[in-house]
Amino acid sequence: MYFRNKLDTGLIILSIIILTMVLPSYIAGQSLEQTTSKGLRINLVKDPSMLFNHAEIVVYYSEIKDPIVPYLTLMNIFDNQINDPQSGLLNTLFKMGNDFKVKYNIDHFIIKVNFLSSDTNLFVSFLKGLFSYKGFSLKKFNYSTKNFWKLFRRNDEWKKVIAAQIAFSKIFKQDHPGQFLITNKNPGRLNLSQTRSFYKYNYTLPNSYITIRGDIKPYFIFGLVEKAFKNFKNLKPGYQKFKYDRFNPDRKVIIVDDGTNGTPNIYWVDPIAPAGNIDHHHAKVVNNLLFGYPLGRISRNASAAGIKGFNISSKIYNHRNISIVCKKIRIGYRDIEKFIFIADNNINKLGVGRVSRKEYLDNYNFVFHKGKIDSDDYSEKASDLISRSFKSSLNIHTITSQEKLLKELSFANFTKILSDPAGKYSTNRNRKKGIIVIFGDADSIKRSLRNIRPEVITIR
Amino acid sequence: MRKLLYPFLLLLLFTTIYPAIRVSNFTLQNGLTVLLSPDDTANSVCVLTYHKNGVINDPPEIRGASYLYQSLMFLETDNLSPYERVRFIMKNGGRSSGKVNYDNSVFYQVVPGSDLNYALWLESERLQKLKLTDTKIISQRKKVYDRIYRFSHRNIYFRSGEWVRKELYRDSIYKTPLYGDIEKLNTFDTGRIKRLYKNFTNPSNIILVISGKFEEEGIREKVERYFGDLESNSPPVSDPVAATISKGYKYENRMREVIPENFILIGLRAPSKLNLDYTYFKLLVYYLVDKRISKLERIFESNLKMDVNISYDFSNNIGANSLVIQVSSTKRAELERVRFYIRRLFEMLMTDRLTTSELKSIKSLMEIDFLKSLRKPEMRSLLLAENYHMSGNLDYGNMYLKRVKKINSFDIVRISKKYLKKENMVILNVFSK
């Protein structure tokens, strides 16, 4: 008889219980990419080293009739000031720790939520609440239109959103959401039904993509999501009606007079090939070679020309058929024109001149290794999946990883796009490119410019 | 059977409860402590040098001189030109930084896993072959002086914050700013500043942390190769202790001709990191001012729809801490209301318990934030080193999480009574004339 007393039997039972807790997570596998029966694309990645969960929900807009409506819709759903007393949806987020961020974009929005595994059920009910929201009211809507700019500016990235809107309106000719600008006149002329119908038409499961990474049981979560949406209607897969395939990246300089008189922020926006395309990564190398800080050509030449106290940071924003690289430059009033002149000089030289293999390799090395180091960040990993989801709007199994693409870059192909990082996606050649949006006091900026004749837009 | 069963059960429990943070340590013959925290899932590796000395270890006459090393450490060495170390790391997509604090100093670099040897070599260069010359020290001293002078003369927020901080720390060593006394800074003797380098290079004062992607096998030999030659040329610094600060309420109004906005600063003395109350007080900080769940934001912005901005500064020292809440508004009357509501909220916290859902939310957020910081190699390394410095304990992660989970609403009432009372507070109002 192996088990001589009750203690042994108890220990055996205990070990079986623990095994049933531990084993399924290993048996279940590391990740799950699947589309639910209601068309929601979902990517679940098991990463036990995280001990918490990070989710990103992206909703792609199918159609936008007025560019301000998507922002008003998001504000009405997520802004605490508008939602007092707290709505059920915000209350669910609060219970999970309220660690969430809503990222505005022109043709989509992303919600990033962090939560503990013990709150998985709450997260699923948040998801359900997001896609069956019924909390719109006239009182909230009126408050949001009346205080639109105040509320809009509470978003850390509001300048980037405006810069992107302006850039899109200058780059694309027609039939796209960036064609109209958000101005002071916009909010007042809208009504609640526009927000409601925008929500109904765009916030659908087939228009959305969810990625969750962390200490999760993929099949268990997938089951919970399936169950949560079982009573939802079957809808057709979402498709963005607007196009991005023709654009005009001619140079435009726009000052956004926002009433502030601190150090101006410059957003230099250039279109590049979409994520998932090999030229997208070549363009990343070109961008680092030029705008890398402090080692890029422009930074070095600007420092050598006596420009002090500036800094540059670049960020890439992906859309379905195009990506834009947005360089944020902080620089004193007096040096704006000089900096633009130096940057243009370097861009032109790159277009006609040659790049040594060493310089290419140095910059490639940076992009490759930075990509690898950044990929340790759970949020970067999620963003990578989201970028890839843009490329494959219907079939998530055809996604190519960024790392694989980076390995396919070549010096020969790199030199082909030097004259225009947008490559075949551009319709104009041999002209100054890039949309430059400067935020600050318009009078002071205009006084500092001698040769550049900017357009001024007032937002206060 | 039972002999086999017990270890098996222990192993199972271990993998269930402690799946994430692996930490081990060893000490070199010269006294340098090494902490290793490998992570097989990572692509990068972080080499962080934690110096147990900070500004409080400076001699009183030149207190603040260590702060100069925040930049001096990036100067040229026998084998590297100035800032070449940073350039090398950036070229490879990595990041590097350094900070000298009151109770410690930290320098780190995050590089691709394959570059561990370079990172170790770069750190050993900084610790053994830094070229400190009088000219460079004078130049750095001047830079710091100019910057602080500019801030204190042009920036009303900086000047006011410094005043509140001084009043909060009163008679303790933390009263002196991190950069030292601005009036005396330019008179600090270069020879004495140079001698402080020995504090930084003394292996007994160093905890080297390697975390992320690396092979544990052979790591000891590598560390020995790069850091084995470090010698103790100065006495080791003493263990950290909590500073004793006398209580006392201070209230002041200041009227200024031209200021961008009216503002009030409310300063609170907070427990040291060595005090068990620290975690409880941190929960209060989350509750009051953390943007994501801030009660003050909810009261002023959501409930009362007031036009105010709230920001805060919570010091991160070992020996003594403070929380300074800044509320600004163009309307002075709004700030008078703000002060009234803050006082009422503090009184309420001293008597009423937080609701279950509020407490659950804050605790979840604290847990998430902590777990998020463990995912950043430099933050994980810093937390491990700092905790080892304070307690000699390697298992910081689970200790902290257990503490957070145990907090209940009665604890918050107790902590509020202790730290939100009037004699623990300094208030400064800065209004436009």
Side-chain angles (χ1 to χ4, degrees):
Chain A
M1 189 70 183
Y2 286 119
F3 310 120
R4 271 175 285 176
N5 56 34
K6 284 179 183 172
L7 182 66
D8 279 351
T9 321
L11 287 171
I12 294 292
I13 293 167
L14 185 62
S15 64
I16 291 168
I17 292 169
I18 295 171
L19 269 174
T20 52
M21 281 162 66
V22 176
L23 277 184
S25 58
Y26 292 102
I27 295 163
Q30 295 301 304
S31 66
L32 172 68
E33 287 179 314
Q34 196 66 265
T35 304
T36 67
S37 59
K38 305 293 174 181
L40 173 68
R41 290 177 293 148
I42 190 162
N43 190 320
L44 303 160
V45 184
K46 185 173 175 60
D47 183 352
S49 67
M50 268 179 69
L51 289 179
F52 70 102
N53 305 319
H54 174 76
E56 297 205 5
I57 304 146
V58 56
V59 176
Y60 306 102
Y61 304 142
S62 297
E63 193 176 27
I64 300 167
K65 286 179 181 151
D66 194 313
I68 208 158
V69 176
Y71 302 116
L72 271 176
T73 312
L74 276 173
M75 272 181 194
N76 274 271
I77 298 174
F78 288 104
D79 196 287
N80 275 319
Q81 222 176 91
I82 298 172
N83 287 281
D84 179 52
Q86 220 169 32
S87 66
L89 191 75
L90 289 182
N91 191 253
T92 312
L93 282 168
F94 185 78
K95 282 182 194 160
M96 288 191 281
N98 225 27
D99 192 20
F100 77 98
K101 253 187 185 167
V102 181
K103 298 264 190 191
Y104 295 178
N105 265 301
I106 285 171
D107 54 5
H108 67 277
F109 74 86
I110 300 173
I111 307 169
K112 301 183 174 198
V113 191
N114 294 312
F115 61 98
L116 298 171
S117 291
S118 52
D119 289 334
T120 304
N121 280 320
L122 278 174
F123 176 75
V124 175
S125 60
F126 160 72
L127 272 186
K128 195 178 171 187
L130 177 67
F131 292 102
S132 55
Y133 188 73
K134 292 198 170 51
F136 294 109
S137 77
L138 192 61
K139 190 183 158 203
K140 277 162 57 173
F141 181 79
N142 286 342
Y143 185 84
S144 65
T145 50
K146 203 175 156 192
N147 298 287
F148 179 80
W149 288 107
K150 195 179 119 193
L151 299 169
F152 188 67
R153 282 184 186 213
R154 286 170 69 210
N155 186 320
D156 299 340
E157 293 190 333
W158 74 271
K159 285 185 181 175
K160 189 227 90 187
V161 174
I162 295 284
Q165 275 280 349
I166 292 171
F168 271 61
S169 75
K170 303 291 175 194
I171 292 170
F172 299 103
K173 284 174 185 167
Q174 52 187 312
D175 196 20
H176 62 85
Q179 187 58 40
F180 310 97
L181 280 183
I182 299 175
T183 65
N184 293 358
K185 290 173 194 164
N186 291 137
R189 58 179 170 70
L190 297 169
N191 57 53
L192 177 62
S193 61
Q194 281 170 288
T195 311
R196 275 202 177 120
S197 75
F198 178 80
Y199 172 82
K200 197 179 164 190
Y201 192 67
N202 290 285
Y203 285 50
T204 62
L205 297 178
N207 271 14
S208 311
Y209 178 86
I210 296 173
T211 167
I212 308 173
R213 179 177 204 93
D215 187 19
I216 55 169
K217 291 174 184 147
Y219 284 91
F220 176 68
I221 292 193
F222 188 79
L224 284 179
V225 174
E226 265 291 358
K227 197 178 158 195
F229 294 120
K230 70 176 180 196
N231 293 328
F232 276 55
K233 279 181 193 165
N234 279 314
L235 295 167
K236 283 179 187 170
Y239 179 71
Q240 290 185 340
K241 288 182 180 169
F242 31 85
K243 293 180 180 119
Y244 289 112
D245 49 359
R246 300 284 291 172
F247 63 85
N248 169 15
D250 272 7
R251 164 64 49 79
K252 300 266 180 351
V253 180
I254 300 105
I255 297 173
V256 178
D257 190 354
D258 61 355
T260 57
N261 51 9
T263 309
N265 280 322
I266 302 177
Y267 290 84
W268 186 311
V269 183
D270 283 306
I272 58 170
N277 185 305
I278 192 109
D279 280 345
H280 176 86
H281 298 281
H282 284 128
K284 271 187 184 175
V285 180
V286 174
N287 186 62
N288 189 59
L289 191 147
L290 285 168
F291 285 93
Y293 178 81
L295 304 175
R297 284 189 184 186
I298 294 169
S299 299
R300 280 183 284 134
N301 286 324
S303 299
I307 300 179
K308 284 181 183 168
F310 72 96
N311 66 53
I312 311 171
S313 58
S314 295
K315 205 158 184 198
I316 290 174
Y317 298 96
N318 296 310
H319 299 271
R320 197 169 151 257
N321 284 323
I322 196 78
S323 294
I324 58 168
V325 53
C326 183
K327 278 83 68 173
K328 185 180 171 187
I329 303 148
R330 269 177 70 82
I331 195 164
Y333 285 105
R334 281 178 304 175
D335 295 322
I336 293 175
E337 192 163 79
K338 198 172 172 187
F339 182 88
I340 293 174
F341 178 75
I342 292 169
D344 278 339
N345 248 343
N346 280 281
I347 294 165
N348 291 341
K349 269 187 199 167
L350 191 72
V352 293
R354 297 176 72 178
V355 175
S356 70
R357 187 174 281 273
K358 185 188 174 301
E359 196 177 5
Y360 163 73
L361 283 174
D362 278 349
N363 285 284
Y364 168 78
N365 198 32
F366 173 86
V367 171
F368 184 74
H369 280 124
K370 189 167 187 316
K372 278 199 106 174
I373 290 176
D374 286 350
S375 73
D376 280 349
D377 186 287
Y378 54 88
S379 184
E380 287 290 334
K381 276 181 178 160
S383 301
D384 185 32
L385 284 173
I386 298 265
S387 306
R388 286 152 57 187
S389 78
F390 280 94
K391 178 69 184 159
S392 54
S393 55
L394 295 174
N395 184 2
I396 52 178
H397 297 285
T398 58
I399 294 168
T400 320
S401 86
Q402 306 284 307
E403 198 177 326
K404 196 178 162 205
L405 277 171
L406 274 167
K407 282 178 182 163
E408 287 172 15
L409 298 193
S410 73
F411 183 56
N413 288 331
F414 164 79
T415 52
K416 280 182 197 165
I417 67 150
L418 285 180
S419 61
D420 187 355
K424 65 177 182 183
Y425 295 88
S426 171
T427 54
N428 286 278
R429 311 251 169 225
N430 306 321
R431 299 168 81 168
K432 278 185 185 172
K433 294 178 178 69
I435 308 297
I436 300 174
V437 184
I438 309 171
F439 283 80
D441 177 52
D443 289 337
S444 311
I445 297 169
K446 273 204 285 188
R447 267 199 303 275
S448 72
L449 303 176
R450 288 184 181 177
N451 300 311
I452 297 171
R453 295 279 167 266
E455 194 182 312
V456 178
I457 296 171
T458 306
I459 291 175
R460 283 172 194 252
Chain B
M1 180 67 190
R2 202 181 291 174
K3 276 180 192 170
L4 283 172
L5 208 56
Y6 281 125
F8 177 65
L9 267 176
L10 275 173
L11 188 73
L12 270 179
L13 276 170
F14 189 79
T15 50
T16 317
I17 302 164
Y18 301 88
I21 317 157
R22 268 160 61 201
V23 191
S24 59
N25 66 325
F26 61 85
T27 308
L28 297 187
Q29 273 189 342
N30 58 11
L32 185 133
T33 307
V34 183
L35 305 186
L36 303 174
S37 178
D39 177 1
D40 305 332
T41 61
N43 285 314
S44 60
V45 62
C46 172
V47 173
L48 179 139
T49 314
Y50 180 97
H51 302 270
K52 293 178 193 170
N53 57 297
V55 166
I56 59 167
N57 303 104
D58 292 349
E61 314 82 62
I62 57 160
R63 180 149 298 134
S66 282
Y67 180 72
L68 299 173
Y69 278 88
Q70 195 166 295
S71 298
L72 290 174
M73 285 293 189
F74 294 92
L75 290 178
E76 69 185 296
T77 68
D78 287 354
N79 300 304
L80 294 164
S81 58
Y83 293 93
E84 194 174 350
R85 174 181 155 199
V86 181
R87 276 199 296 273
F88 175 85
I89 291 159
M90 288 184 87
K91 256 189 175 177
N92 287 293
R95 51 185 186 265
S96 168
S97 190
K99 179 131 179 53
V100 175
N101 303 306
Y102 280 102
D103 324 85
N104 55 32
S105 312
V106 179
F107 294 86
Y108 72 83
Q109 43 230 308
V110 180
V111 292
S114 52
D115 287 348
L116 173 65
N117 280 354
Y118 289 115
L120 290 171
W121 176 73
L122 289 168
E123 273 305 273
S124 73
E125 276 285 306
R126 183 176 69 76
L127 292 174
Q128 295 178 65
K129 289 167 184 169
L130 194 68
K131 282 187 172 175
L132 284 169
T133 62
D134 285 356
T135 330
K136 279 167 191 159
I137 291 173
I138 291 167
S139 149
Q140 189 52 40
R141 206 176 57 187
K142 191 176 175 314
K143 267 187 199 167
V144 172
Y145 177 82
D146 288 349
R147 198 175 70 236
I148 303 297
Y149 183 86
R150 208 169 48 239
F151 271 136
S152 49
H153 281 78
R154 289 188 197 162
N155 192 325
I156 182 90
Y157 300 109
F158 176 80
R159 207 163 53 236
S160 308
E162 284 295 275
W163 182 85
V164 171
R165 204 184 47 77
K166 270 183 196 167
E167 289 298 327
L168 284 170
Y169 291 124
R170 295 170 75 97
D171 37 14
S172 81
I173 211 166
Y174 292 86
K175 187 183 174 183
T176 315
L178 207 52
Y179 46 82
D181 185 344
I182 183 78
E183 303 300 328
K184 293 181 193 161
L185 183 62
N186 268 334
T187 62
F188 286 180
D189 177 46
T190 51
R192 295 192 75 179
I193 296 174
K194 242 189 263 182
R195 280 200 288 281
L196 287 179
Y197 183 54
K198 286 180 186 167
N199 275 351
F200 286 95
T201 59
N202 184 342
S204 329
N205 292 343
I206 295 175
I207 301 171
L208 183 81
V209 191
I210 305 172
S211 70
K213 188 187 180 181
F214 67 93
E215 291 288 331
E216 277 182 275
E217 205 183 313
I219 197 79
R220 192 183 178 117
E221 290 71 34
K222 276 183 190 169
V223 175
E224 187 78 55
R225 193 189 321 150
Y226 293 111
F227 300 94
D229 295 340
L230 281 174
E231 286 172 19
S232 304
N233 294 320
S234 67
V237 294
S238 47
D239 288 340
V241 284
T244 324
I245 302 168
S246 58
K247 304 255 184 266
Y249 175 64
K250 185 97 181 175
Y251 181 94
E252 197 164 305
N253 277 321
R254 287 185 185 173
M255 308 301 282
R256 291 286 176 270
E257 287 291 345
V258 188
I259 49 169
E261 269 187 318
N262 298 299
F263 63 93
I264 55 172
L265 294 174
I266 298 166
L268 292 163
R269 294 183 189 95
S272 82
K273 275 191 181 172
L274 299 160
N275 188 331
L276 282 176
D277 286 349
Y278 180 79
T279 317
Y280 302 105
F281 190 86
K282 217 171 158 187
L283 189 140
L284 263 187
V285 176
Y286 270 87
Y287 175 75
L288 291 172
V289 282
D290 187 281
K291 285 269 173 209
R292 294 161 291 183
I293 44 170
S294 164
K295 182 71 178 176
L296 292 179
E297 295 240 357
R298 273 183 283 153
I299 294 174
F300 300 138
E301 294 193 348
S302 305
N303 303 152
L304 301 171
K305 309 271 188 270
M306 285 165 76
D307 200 4
V308 294
N309 285 317
I310 305 167
S311 57
Y312 74 100
D313 177 37
F314 183 47
S315 66
N316 199 18
N317 305 322
I318 294 179
N321 282 303
S322 64
L323 167 68
V324 181
I325 304 169
Q326 179 181 317
V327 188
S328 53
S329 172
T330 47
K331 296 170 196 156
R332 184 176 160 177
E334 295 272 63
L335 293 179
E336 302 286 355
R337 283 174 75 198
V338 161
R339 222 174 35 225
F340 168 75
Y341 280 109
I342 291 183
R343 206 170 52 225
R344 257 186 55 181
L345 179 66
F346 284 5
E347 280 165 9
M348 215 179 73
L349 281 165
M350 288 187 226
T351 51
D352 301 352
R353 288 186 292 148
L354 294 185
T355 63
T356 319
S357 101
E358 274 177 329
L359 193 64
K360 194 232 169 243
S361 174
I362 308 166
K363 281 162 72 172
S364 296
L365 186 58
M366 284 176 82
E367 221 175 298
I368 291 169
D369 276 357
F370 181 73
L371 295 170
K372 271 180 356 191
S373 61
L374 289 184
R375 293 291 299 177
K376 276 201 128 194
E378 59 270 43
M379 277 307 294
R380 175 159 67 165
S381 306
L382 175 60
L383 287 171
L384 289 172
E386 193 178 65
N387 184 57
Y388 193 78
H389 180 203
M390 290 191 299
S391 64
N393 194 335
L394 289 177
D395 187 22
Y396 180 54
N398 287 297
M399 209 168 71
Y400 178 82
L401 291 174
K402 270 181 205 162
R403 246 183 235 168
V404 172
K405 277 184 181 141
K406 273 186 186 168
I407 301 176
N408 62 46
S409 50
F410 293 105
D411 294 324
I412 304 307
V413 174
R414 180 179 63 81
I415 290 296
S416 302
K417 278 182 184 163
K418 197 170 170 184
Y419 293 98
L420 300 183
K421 60 187 177 187
K422 200 174 171 186
E423 56 262 44
N424 204 34
M425 212 182 278
V426 173
I427 298 177
L428 174 67
N429 301 312
V430 185
F431 296 137
S432 169
K433 263 186 188 173

